[in-house]
Amino acid sequence: MTTYEFMRWLTFPLMTTHLVTVRNDIKRLIKSGVSSGKPFSILDVGGRKSPYTINLPAAVTLLDVPQEAGTKEALNLGFTDSILTTIQKKRSNITDVIIQDMTQSTIEEARFDAVVSIEVIEHVEADVLFVKHIAAVIKKGGWAYFTTPNGDYIKNEGPGKNPDHVRHYTRQGLHDLLSHYFDTVEVHYAVSTGRYRVWSLQSLKTINPVRFVQSLVGTVVNRFQSKGVETRAEHTAHLIAVAYK
């Protein structure tokens, strides 16, 4: 375990509801998987600086597109040489890095036990191809884990529109898309919205003591607010989908 990974492990309980939920879900899915005697293999799509697969008991391959000038650069999306160097120094469970667009994947079929794609699919124009290629690289009996904004409640329109989001999915829409390529699909809502969620998203690195305390309070309260919201479309921020092959 690197120093970076240790600090991430130590501060994990203080992280946002979304991050904690995703990591706990993925750990549970890994544990429930069938062991083949080899390290459990995960493809982390869009995983450049992803905190979601840090310290997981798995061999992780990161995949992302190269960073280009324009919106991707402004939003710090995609891989750069400096990001790759940083990742390789900080992470001990990274076994490979692939710089590629998943919609044009050349990865061999059935290479991975699972794929995770956290807050990525809303950025993808060719979402059908994206899902098709993800399904193809998963072994039979494996799974894919997706999160994306909840389009039943959060509309990507008007002056607050995110310029890099192509669409926001409804629960039914995401289920229908994934069902074309997976045998079983489960989609539910996650993370209560509101003031405390906004507070929790503030960086814990701030030197402002008021904002630091706000962030901690927001995290604790939002964690409790987000219990039992799986079927609540209103006032929830995310959709979480698990698709089984």
Side-chain angles (χ1 to χ4, degrees):
M1 183 183 294
T2 67
T3 301
Y4 172 76
E5 289 171 326
F6 175 75
M7 293 305 297
R8 279 286 186 174
W9 172 80
L10 196 65
T11 59
F12 177 65
L14 306 178
M15 296 296 103
T16 64
T17 302
H18 181 254
L19 173 58
V20 171
T21 299
V22 169
R23 281 182 53 81
N24 284 341
D25 283 350
I26 296 173
K27 286 171 70 176
R28 173 181 54 80
L29 286 163
I30 292 173
K31 189 175 181 180
S32 65
V34 178
S35 175
S36 63
K38 299 179 181 179
F40 193 89
S41 59
I42 291 179
L43 177 65
D44 188 349
V45 176
R48 61 197 194 285
K49 297 195 294 182
S50 168
Y52 302 97
T53 54
I54 293 171
N55 283 339
L56 290 180
V60 179
T61 295
L62 299 180
L63 180 145
D64 212 329
V65 295
Q67 192 175 97
E68 302 168 351
T71 303
K72 284 188 173 63
E73 183 179 28
L75 296 176
N76 197 27
L77 303 175
F79 274 138
T80 64
D81 289 339
S82 62
I83 289 174
L84 286 174
T85 301
T86 300
I87 289 171
Q88 290 164 346
K89 287 180 179 179
K90 288 182 174 181
R91 301 280 301 275
S92 61
N93 65 347
I94 303 301
T95 58
D96 197 7
V97 174
I98 301 173
I99 302 177
Q100 189 176 98
D101 185 334
M102 195 67 204
T103 65
Q104 302 174 35
S105 171
T106 58
I107 301 170
E108 60 268 32
E109 294 188 3
R111 174 175 168 181
F112 297 98
D113 294 306
V115 171
V116 299
S117 177
I118 311 302
E119 303 299 295
V120 174
I121 195 170
E122 66 273 10
H123 298 271
V124 180
E125 186 73 46
D127 59 345
V128 174
L129 273 177
F130 183 76
V131 173
K132 178 181 179 180
H133 286 300
I134 283 178
V137 303
I138 299 173
K139 299 173 184 177
K140 185 65 178 175
W143 48 265
Y145 184 95
F146 299 84
T147 80
T148 191
N150 170 21
D152 285 312
Y153 181 65
I154 300 174
K155 308 300 181 183
N156 196 38
E157 56 194 24
K161 180 178 179 178
N162 189 315
D164 203 52
H165 286 192
V166 177
R167 70 188 71 76
H168 285 183
Y169 296 87
T170 64
R171 182 183 186 183
Q172 188 62 52
L174 184 59
H175 181 278
D176 291 347
L177 171 63
L178 299 178
S179 294
H180 285 298
Y181 298 102
F182 290 91
D183 295 333
T184 304
V185 177
E186 301 167 358
V187 185
H188 64 266
Y189 302 104
V191 187
S192 181
T193 59
R195 174 175 60 181
Y196 293 107
R197 175 177 175 267
V198 173
W199 284 7
S200 74
L201 296 175
Q202 295 176 154
S203 174
L204 288 171
K205 296 179 181 179
T206 179
I207 60 173
N208 184 322
V210 174
R211 292 190 66 185
F212 181 83
V213 172
Q214 261 193 351
S215 181
L216 290 178
V217 171
T219 296
V220 172
V221 175
N222 187 244
R223 196 77 51 80
F224 282 102
Q225 288 179 329
S226 299
K227 293 183 181 297
V229 301
E230 291 80 6
T231 60
R232 193 183 80 194
E234 294 294 308
H235 304 290
T236 45
H238 300 278
L239 292 172
I240 290 178
V242 185
Y244 299 91
K245 190 172 177 183

